Coordinates of all heavy atoms in Angstrom, one line a residue:
E153 N -58.6 82.6 36.8 CA -57.2 82.5 36.9 C -56.7 81.1 37.3 O -55.8 80.5 36.7 CB -56.6 83.5 37.8 CG -56.7 84.9 37.3 CD -56.1 86.0 38.2 OE1 -55.5 85.6 39.2 OE2 -56.2 87.2 37.9
C154 N -57.5 80.5 38.2 CA -57.2 79.1 38.6 C -57.5 78.1 37.4 O -56.8 77.1 37.2 CB -58.0 78.7 39.8 SG -57.4 79.5 41.3
A155 N -58.6 78.4 36.7 CA -59.0 77.6 35.6 C -57.9 77.6 34.5 O -57.7 76.6 33.8 CB -60.3 78.0 35.0
V156 N -57.3 78.8 34.3 CA -56.2 78.9 33.3 C -55.1 78.0 33.7 O -54.5 77.3 32.9 CB -55.8 80.4 33.2 CG1 -54.5 80.4 32.4 CG2 -56.8 81.2 32.5
E157 N -54.8 77.9 35.0 CA -53.7 77.1 35.4 C -54.0 75.6 35.2 O -53.2 74.8 34.7 CB -53.4 77.3 36.9 CG -52.8 78.6 37.3 CD -52.6 78.8 38.8 OE1 -52.8 77.8 39.5 OE2 -52.1 79.9 39.2
R158 N -55.3 75.2 35.4 CA -55.7 73.8 35.1 C -55.6 73.6 33.6 O -55.1 72.5 33.2 CB -57.1 73.6 35.5 CG -57.7 72.3 35.2 CD -57.0 71.1 35.8 NE -57.0 71.1 37.2 CZ -58.0 70.6 38.0 NH1 -59.1 70.0 37.4 NH2 -57.9 70.7 39.3
Y159 N -56.0 74.5 32.8 CA -55.9 74.4 31.3 C -54.4 74.2 30.9 O -54.1 73.3 30.1 CB -56.4 75.6 30.6 CG -56.5 75.5 29.1 CD1 -57.6 74.9 28.5 CD2 -55.5 76.0 28.3 CE1 -57.7 74.8 27.1 CE2 -55.5 75.8 26.9 CZ -56.6 75.2 26.4 OH -56.7 75.1 25.0
I160 N -53.5 75.0 31.5 CA -52.1 74.9 31.1 C -51.5 73.5 31.6 O -50.8 72.9 30.8 CB -51.3 76.0 31.8 CG1 -51.7 77.4 31.2 CG2 -49.8 75.8 31.7 CD1 -51.1 78.5 32.0
Y161 N -52.0 73.0 32.7 CA -51.4 71.8 33.3 C -51.9 70.5 32.6 O -51.2 69.5 32.6 CB -51.7 71.8 34.8 CG -51.0 70.7 35.5 CD1 -49.6 70.7 35.7 CD2 -51.7 69.6 36.1 CE1 -48.9 69.7 36.4 CE2 -51.0 68.6 36.7 CZ -49.7 68.6 36.9 OH -49.0 67.6 37.6
T162 N -53.1 70.6 32.0 CA -53.7 69.4 31.5 C -54.1 69.4 30.1 O -54.3 68.3 29.5 CB -55.0 69.0 32.3 OG1 -56.0 70.1 32.1 CG2 -54.7 68.9 33.8
S163 N -54.1 70.5 29.4 CA -54.6 70.6 28.0 C -53.6 70.0 27.1 O -52.4 70.2 27.2 CB -54.9 72.0 27.7 OG -55.1 72.1 26.3
P164 N -54.0 69.3 26.0 CA -53.1 68.8 25.0 C -52.5 69.9 24.2 O -51.5 69.7 23.5 CB -54.0 67.9 24.2 CG -55.4 68.4 24.4 CD -55.4 68.8 25.8
S165 N -53.1 71.1 24.3 CA -52.5 72.3 23.6 C -51.3 72.8 24.3 O -50.6 73.6 23.7 CB -53.6 73.4 23.5 OG -54.7 72.9 22.7
S166 N -51.0 72.4 25.5 CA -49.9 72.9 26.3 C -48.7 72.0 26.3 O -48.9 70.7 26.3 CB -50.4 73.2 27.7 OG -49.4 73.6 28.6
T167 N -47.5 72.5 26.5 CA -46.3 71.7 26.6 C -46.3 71.1 28.0 O -45.6 70.1 28.2 CB -45.1 72.5 26.4 OG1 -45.1 73.7 27.3 CG2 -45.0 73.0 25.0
R168 N -47.0 71.7 29.0 CA -47.1 71.2 30.3 C -45.8 71.1 31.0 O -45.5 70.1 31.7 CB -47.9 69.8 30.3 CG -49.3 69.9 29.8 CD -50.0 68.6 29.9 NE -49.5 67.5 29.1 CZ -49.7 67.4 27.8 NH1 -50.5 68.3 27.2 NH2 -49.2 66.4 27.1
Y169 N -44.9 72.1 30.8 CA -43.6 72.2 31.5 C -43.6 73.5 32.3 O -44.1 74.5 31.8 CB -42.5 72.1 30.5 CG -42.0 70.8 30.2 CD1 -42.5 70.0 29.3 CD2 -40.9 70.2 31.0 CE1 -42.1 68.7 29.0 CE2 -40.5 68.9 30.8 CZ -41.0 68.2 29.8 OH -40.6 66.9 29.6
P170 N -43.1 73.4 33.5 CA -43.0 74.7 34.3 C -42.2 75.8 33.6 O -41.2 75.6 33.0 CB -42.3 74.2 35.6 CG -42.4 72.7 35.6 CD -42.4 72.3 34.1
G171 N -42.7 77.0 33.8 CA -42.0 78.2 33.3 C -42.1 78.5 31.8 O -41.6 79.5 31.4
T172 N -42.8 77.6 31.0 CA -42.9 77.8 29.6 C -44.2 78.3 29.2 O -44.4 78.6 28.0 CB -42.6 76.5 28.8 OG1 -43.7 75.5 29.2 CG2 -41.3 75.8 29.2
N173 N -45.1 78.5 30.1 CA -46.5 78.9 29.8 C -46.9 80.1 30.7 O -46.3 80.4 31.7 CB -47.4 77.8 29.9 CG -48.6 77.8 28.9 OD1 -49.1 78.9 28.7 ND2 -49.0 76.7 28.3
R174 N -48.0 80.7 30.3 CA -48.5 81.9 31.0 C -47.5 83.0 30.9 O -47.3 83.8 31.8 CB -48.9 81.7 32.4 CG -50.0 82.7 32.9 CD -50.5 82.3 34.3 NE -49.5 82.5 35.3 CZ -49.6 82.2 36.6 NH1 -50.8 81.7 37.0 NH2 -48.7 82.3 37.5
L175 N -46.9 83.1 29.7 CA -45.9 84.2 29.5 C -46.6 85.5 29.0 O -47.6 85.4 28.3 CB -44.9 83.7 28.4 CG -44.2 82.4 28.6 CD1 -43.3 82.1 27.4 CD2 -43.4 82.4 29.9
D176 N -46.1 86.6 29.5 CA -46.6 87.9 29.0 C -48.1 88.0 29.3 O -48.9 88.5 28.4 CB -46.3 88.1 27.5 CG -44.8 88.0 27.2 OD1 -44.0 88.6 28.0 OD2 -44.5 87.4 26.2
W177 N -48.5 87.6 30.5 CA -50.0 87.6 30.8 C -50.5 89.1 30.8 O -49.8 90.0 31.2 CB -50.1 87.1 32.2 CG -51.5 87.3 32.9 CD1 -51.9 88.5 33.5 CD2 -52.6 86.4 32.9 NE1 -53.2 88.3 34.0 CE2 -53.6 87.1 33.7 CE3 -52.8 85.1 32.5 CZ2 -54.8 86.4 33.9 CZ3 -54.0 84.5 32.7 CH2 -55.0 85.2 33.4
R178 N -51.7 89.3 30.2 CA -52.3 90.6 30.2 C -53.8 90.4 30.0 O -54.3 89.4 29.7 CB -51.7 91.4 29.0 CG -52.1 90.9 27.6 CD -51.4 91.7 26.5 NE -51.8 91.3 25.2 CZ -52.7 92.0 24.5 NH1 -53.1 93.2 24.9 NH2 -53.0 91.6 23.3
I179 N -54.5 91.5 30.3 CA -55.9 91.6 30.1 C -56.2 92.5 28.9 O -55.6 93.5 28.8 CB -56.6 92.2 31.4 CG1 -56.1 91.5 32.7 CG2 -58.1 92.1 31.3 CD1 -56.3 90.0 32.7

């Protein structure tokens, strides 16, 4: 779960803006 946060924050695939990612999280 922490690695996912790092991916969201640094990946070029991410917009890297608060609140716009990790939407509708599910397993």
Side-chain angles (χ1 to χ4, degrees):
E153 291 180 6
C154 289
V156 167
E157 291 182 5
R158 173 63 60 86
Y159 186 86
I160 292 172
Y161 189 69
T162 63
S163 170
S165 297
S166 173
T167 54
R168 299 187 293 282
Y169 269 86
T172 63
N173 212 319
R174 203 173 68 183
L175 307 178
D176 304 315
W177 169 277
R178 70 188 183 102
I179 309 304

